[in-house]
Amino acid sequence: MKVQNQIKLLLSGCFAIVCLALSACASNFMLAEGPCAVPSTKNLDKAIEHSRNALSDHYCSSDFENHFDNLLRVAEENPSADNNRRFSNFLQWAETTGLIGNTKAKHRYTRYFSRTFVALPDNYSNCSSTCPRVPKVQSDLRAELVEKERGSRILSNKQLMLDAHQDFEKVQLLLEATCISCQANAS
Amino acid sequence: MNESEQIKRTTLKSANSSRFVLMILFLLISLFFHASVLAASQSRPNLEIFSKEIIQNIKQTSEVAGAMEQSLKDVISRLEKQDGLYHAAHCDSDEQDIGCDQLRAQLGETYLEMLDSMEESLPEMEHSLATTHASLEKRIYKQMGKNLTAAGLQDLVKNAKTTEMSPSLGKRALSKRVSAYYNLVRNGSPGSLSVVAAELYVDSHEVVQLLGLIREEIGRSRLMVEIGQSWGIVSPEMQNTVQGVKSILFGQDVESGKQVEKLTASAADTIYRSPLELR
């Protein structure tokens, strides 16, 4: 009797795990159907409207990243100088509704549509904090540069990409010089 | 309540209060530390990397490099001509020919002449570059390493104007590179000066190291030529020394200096600025 109960318990546990895994897969692969699904339209304004409606549902709030990424994809197919206004409005809306925090909204916008690199820390001095982890900072910078390239395509703004690339090169140079001097003075 | 219980409570109370005091102290210290770093990051000091002394040093380095180039130009071009002649006459395969023997002797003599000339001017060059490098190092460490955050470095970069030609990118002659730095320092905006300082610092760091290697190589080459006495042909090692000297002094590819892309001014006024954008 005891053994039977244990087997039942084990089976129901397995069932629960399978259900959880399936639901996780469903949210990862973005089901085309359902209230949280990302829009299939290629029109950015319509896609934003759809995402707003979907994300307004408390049940779908965890799908913000999927929706944002989809909007970027749609925007890449519809490049326009006005797209940053659309994204800014969308992010401000997401912030107001509490989907994301203020810092995340600012960082998310800046990562794609501004030459400023948010990957550069602004809390401690270079010698004490940045130089010991230069490889990580550099890889974060590179990742952000790729996002800025995407943002520049979305805005059809080559200048943004050129500015970002130039800043990237110069910051790398300043970091290299600064960290060599820090190392020389530490020894 | 018995006595032992009371003692227990008192001990617990004092332990709690000391823990509380410690926590407050820790909080205050971390707050103070954070505030001081924040103040440092927000004050964004105006960088004053190039003192009069450093500027004078750069000028002097450019002059020394120019004089060195001048003194080596003739001897290196003579060496190359003789080497060309030696190969054109197929002397590398004909070891018995008297004419080839003479050419070999001339090559060895010219090579030694180049080493002499280099040995004479290298110390002054090295000293001048090392002084510039050390002064820059001190200031970069203090102003950019200790007083700025990584985001602070970015602020400097944003103020930097695009230079038409970056001195080190062009692989130009050393004297021209240093003199380009000198001109940039004299005419540069505060933002671009930090970039120039970083570039000059990194560049001089590499050149000082290379000059050291070349000095060692010169000693070795001289020994080989002097021991040989027969002068021999210019060996691959000697050719490396000549190439090393040439690349530092005259630049590797004088004409193909990479032009930094000139950017057209963006119509900043018409561009949409989001309130979310961090600057």
Side-chain angles (χ1 to χ4, degrees):
Chain A
M1 192 69 180
K2 239 184 186 180
V3 177
Q4 263 182 346
N5 276 346
Q6 274 177 345
I7 290 172
K8 260 184 200 169
L9 203 70
L10 196 72
L11 278 174
S12 55
C14 286
F15 180 71
I17 288 170
V18 168
C19 284
L20 275 174
L22 279 176
S23 70
C25 283
S27 77
N28 272 347
F29 289 117
M30 294 181 283
L31 291 173
E33 302 291 322
C36 301
V38 295
S40 53
T41 173
K42 300 285 175 200
N43 180 301
L44 184 59
D45 287 323
K46 280 183 184 163
I48 289 176
E49 199 187 326
H50 180 110
S51 288
R52 273 187 177 203
N53 288 335
L55 292 170
S56 296
D57 186 343
H58 180 67
Y59 177 72
C60 304
S61 59
S62 60
D63 282 317
F64 175 79
E65 294 300 335
N66 288 341
H67 280 269
F68 187 74
D69 202 49
N70 178 63
L71 291 180
L72 289 172
R73 260 200 305 272
V74 175
E76 263 182 298
E77 288 171 27
N78 299 280
S80 154
D82 209 34
N83 280 347
N84 53 353
R85 193 193 306 272
R86 292 184 173 99
F87 273 93
S88 175
N89 289 342
F90 175 74
L91 287 167
Q92 282 182 83
W93 167 83
E95 186 206 335
T96 318
T97 51
L99 277 169
I100 53 171
N102 177 263
T103 312
K104 188 172 177 180
K106 283 181 176 170
H107 278 208
R108 193 52 68 92
Y109 181 86
T110 308
R111 283 183 81 86
Y112 287 94
F113 305 114
S114 164
R115 67 190 283 186
T116 303
F117 283 86
V118 292
L120 290 168
D122 195 22
N123 38 10
Y124 300 107
S125 82
N126 287 315
C127 282
S128 68
S129 167
T130 318
C131 294
R133 51 189 199 96
V134 156
K136 167 89 174 77
V137 174
Q138 281 175 332
S139 82
D140 289 350
L141 272 178
R142 265 192 293 275
E144 192 171 339
L145 187 65
V146 172
E147 285 168 349
K148 289 189 193 307
E149 282 172 2
R150 199 175 180 192
S152 135
R153 280 198 301 274
I154 287 170
L155 300 181
S156 189
N157 181 354
K158 228 178 173 180
Q159 189 65 45
L160 173 66
M161 193 165 75
L162 288 172
D163 287 343
H165 268 272
Q166 213 170 58
D167 286 0
F168 175 79
E169 298 289 340
K170 285 179 179 169
V171 164
Q172 298 256 64
L173 175 69
L174 288 191
L175 264 179
E176 185 188 357
T178 304
C179 293
I180 292 176
S181 77
C182 292
Q183 208 174 4
N185 278 278
S187 51
Chain B
M1 191 188 302
N2 60 26
E3 204 175 314
S4 68
E5 216 170 281
Q6 213 167 2
I7 292 170
K8 233 186 207 172
R9 267 192 193 178
T10 323
T11 324
L12 208 69
K13 241 184 191 176
S14 68
N16 276 341
S17 62
S18 59
R19 208 175 293 159
F20 181 71
V21 169
L22 271 175
M23 261 173 63
I24 293 285
L25 207 65
F26 177 72
L27 205 71
L28 279 174
I29 289 171
S30 56
L31 266 177
F32 172 74
F33 185 63
H34 198 73
S36 65
V37 171
L38 208 66
S41 74
Q42 280 171 349
S43 61
R44 304 268 191 265
N46 276 333
L47 293 193
E48 284 177 9
I49 291 180
F50 291 100
S51 63
K52 274 183 186 169
E53 196 190 339
I54 296 183
I55 296 175
Q56 201 51 41
N57 248 320
I58 298 171
K59 195 181 172 198
Q60 197 194 337
T61 307
S62 160
E63 285 165 1
V64 172
M68 195 170 164
E69 275 162 36
Q70 212 51 46
S71 70
L72 282 168
K73 219 177 197 168
D74 289 344
V75 70
I76 286 182
S77 98
R78 227 180 321 134
L79 193 67
E80 283 181 335
K81 265 185 203 158
Q82 287 169 350
D83 192 43
L85 207 61
Y86 183 83
H87 287 292
H90 303 289
C91 288
D92 21 8
S93 55
D94 190 356
E95 290 183 2
Q96 303 299 319
D97 190 83
I98 301 170
C100 287
D101 278 347
Q102 278 178 346
L103 270 175
R104 270 182 217 119
Q106 279 174 4
L107 262 171
E109 266 177 56
T110 316
Y111 186 67
L112 272 183
E113 201 183 316
M114 186 200 87
L115 296 186
D116 286 340
S117 179
M118 284 226 55
E119 267 197 331
E120 205 179 292
S121 35
L122 256 185
E124 196 184 355
M125 180 74 225
E126 267 187 296
H127 175 73
S128 188
L129 259 180
T131 312
T132 306
H133 179 76
S135 318
L136 279 175
E137 182 168 277
K138 219 182 276 173
R139 285 179 175 246
I140 287 176
Y141 168 68
K142 203 171 166 193
Q143 296 184 31
M144 281 152 68
K146 281 179 78 181
N147 285 346
L148 280 187
T149 62
L153 292 182
Q154 181 169 226
D155 288 347
L156 291 175
V157 158
K158 278 189 200 157
N159 297 327
K161 285 179 190 158
T162 311
T163 52
E164 223 174 283
M165 168 73 92
S166 175
S168 67
L169 286 178
K171 300 273 183 206
R172 292 181 283 175
L174 185 61
S175 67
K176 284 185 185 147
R177 259 151 74 188
V178 182
S179 113
Y181 284 127
Y182 177 65
N183 286 330
L184 284 172
V185 172
R186 279 198 320 176
N187 310 318
S189 63
S192 56
L193 282 185
S194 57
V195 179
V196 175
E199 202 156 359
L200 177 53
Y201 174 66
V202 174
D203 205 12
S204 61
H205 185 73
E206 283 168 11
V207 174
V208 166
Q209 281 179 332
L210 275 174
L211 286 180
L213 286 176
I214 283 181
R215 194 153 32 81
E216 281 175 23
E217 195 55 46
I218 286 172
R220 211 172 300 140
S221 293
R222 179 186 288 285
L223 199 68
M224 277 168 66
V225 173
E226 281 172 355
I227 288 174
Q229 278 306 310
S230 61
W231 306 116
I233 58 159
V234 174
S235 65
E237 289 81 9
M238 292 174 193
Q239 269 177 351
N240 283 343
T241 309
V242 177
Q243 281 309 319
V245 171
K246 274 174 65 187
S247 69
I248 288 186
L249 287 177
F250 307 120
Q252 282 161 343
D253 191 0
V254 181
E255 293 308 317
S256 69
K258 190 179 162 191
Q259 286 282 339
V260 174
E261 225 174 322
K262 252 187 163 181
L263 300 177
T264 50
S266 57
D269 298 339
T270 57
I271 290 173
Y272 166 72
R273 290 259 176 237
S274 164
L276 293 175
E277 183 174 344
L278 292 169
R279 288 173 206 186

